[in-house]
């Protein structure tokens, strides 16, 4: 997307340092990593509120445990580097309306809820994480992406404008992360497989 500051953090170098000696991360790198971990920690519970009740009830316990672990790790990295971090605020269904109606009244079915939640919450996650990396995401683009995405995934708009379509295609790239986690922990999870399939399908569809 050619955002200013996108090259400020050397991702592969930071990942290598994190594996070898996390206590030696520079303040900028520690802020990047700890902010990302804290955003990950806070992401899943609001996401569950967008999904069917059976989904939320089935996952809430492991999600809260994972949040506790990630918050501890993020806090430790930030403290070691002497940096301050903050958690993002994620939209919850009760706070979002599409053309005056509650957002979830506009969607039905697991896939539709999954895509609507992903389109909005991953945008919010990215903007927060990008700021910690020194990446300048234009406020006008964020507002427009949110507005168009709510309308499109809420069924009141037939298409996304070209730039927003490209942005969302990039935001829907988490299938790689899902696959990596499933493989690293040898989960062979049917749920992770479903997440990956939905993300891949939507990213390919947005790619035209």
């Amino acid at each position: 997307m050619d955002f200013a500051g996108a090259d400020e953090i050397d991702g592969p170098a930071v990942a290598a340092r994190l594996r070898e000696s996390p206590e030696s991360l520079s303040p900028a790198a520690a802020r990047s990593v700890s902010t990302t971990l804290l955003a990950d920690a806070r992401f899943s519970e609001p996401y569950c509120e967008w999904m069917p009740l059976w989904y939320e009830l089935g996952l809430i316990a492991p999600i809260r445990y994972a949040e506790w672990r990630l918050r501890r790790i993020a806090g430790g990295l930030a403290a070691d580097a002497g940096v301050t971090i903050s958690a993002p605020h994620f939209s919850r269904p009760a706070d979002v309306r599409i053309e005056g109606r509650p957002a979830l009244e506009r969607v039905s079915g697991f896939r539709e809820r999954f895509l609507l939640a992903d389109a909005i919450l991953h945008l919010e996650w990215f903007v927060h994480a990008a700021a910690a990396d020194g990446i300048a995401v234009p406020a006008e683009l964020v507002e427009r992406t949110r507005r168009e995405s709510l309308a499109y995934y809420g069924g009141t708009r037939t298409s996304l404008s070209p730039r927003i379509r490209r942005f969302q295609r990039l935001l829907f790239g988490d299938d790689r992360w899902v696959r990596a986690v499933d493989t690293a922990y040898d989960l062979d999870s049917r749920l992770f497989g479903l997440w990956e399939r939905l993300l891949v399908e939507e990213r390919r569809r947005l790619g035209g």
Side-chain angles (χ1 to χ4, degrees):
M1 295 297 292
D2 299 321
F3 295 138
D7 298 323
E8 292 295 319
I9 299 292
D10 184 341
V14 170
R17 180 63 62 86
L18 187 62
R19 285 192 295 269
E20 297 164 4
S21 54
E23 70 284 351
S24 67
L25 288 171
S26 69
R31 181 180 296 107
S32 172
V33 173
S34 56
T35 297
T36 299
L37 291 174
L38 188 56
D40 284 348
R42 292 291 296 273
F43 179 87
S44 294
E45 188 164 337
Y47 199 102
C48 279
E49 292 187 20
W50 289 84
M51 304 305 292
L53 183 60
W54 61 263
Y55 181 99
E56 182 176 3
L57 292 177
L59 291 181
I60 196 63
I63 279 172
R64 287 180 174 169
Y65 175 71
E67 177 176 351
W68 175 75
R69 288 289 304 274
L70 288 170
R71 288 175 68 90
R72 286 190 63 192
I73 296 169
L77 289 172
D80 288 344
V83 298
T84 301
I85 58 174
S86 63
H89 170 76
F90 289 112
S91 295
R92 300 183 184 252
D95 305 325
V96 180
R97 304 185 80 80
I98 302 173
E99 292 192 350
R101 291 172 55 191
L104 289 182
E105 287 187 7
R106 293 285 186 179
V107 292
S108 61
F110 183 90
R111 177 181 178 276
E112 289 73 19
R113 288 187 176 213
F114 182 92
L115 295 180
L116 175 60
D118 199 276
I120 300 306
L121 272 63
H122 267 112
L123 172 65
E124 296 169 347
W125 181 97
F126 175 77
V127 171
H128 188 83
D133 285 0
I135 300 173
V137 185
E140 180 276 333
L141 176 64
V142 175
E143 192 281 329
R144 183 178 168 194
T145 301
R146 180 181 176 86
R147 183 177 67 251
E148 286 194 22
S149 298
L150 279 172
Y152 179 64
Y153 289 102
T156 64
R157 182 185 175 104
T158 58
S159 64
L160 296 170
S161 59
R163 192 166 189 228
I164 306 306
R165 186 181 184 92
R166 182 183 175 221
F167 193 16
Q168 279 292 7
R169 178 171 57 83
L170 295 169
L171 291 172
F172 270 99
D174 268 12
D175 57 282
R176 301 175 184 89
W177 176 87
V178 170
R179 183 167 58 255
V181 171
D182 195 43
T183 301
Y185 291 95
D186 196 25
L187 299 176
D188 193 24
S189 167
R190 292 179 62 187
L191 183 58
F192 273 47
L194 175 60
W195 291 345
E196 181 182 358
R197 178 173 61 80
L198 292 175
L199 291 165
V200 168
E201 288 175 354
E202 186 60 14
R203 183 160 48 82
R204 289 174 176 169
R205 193 174 68 84
L206 290 170

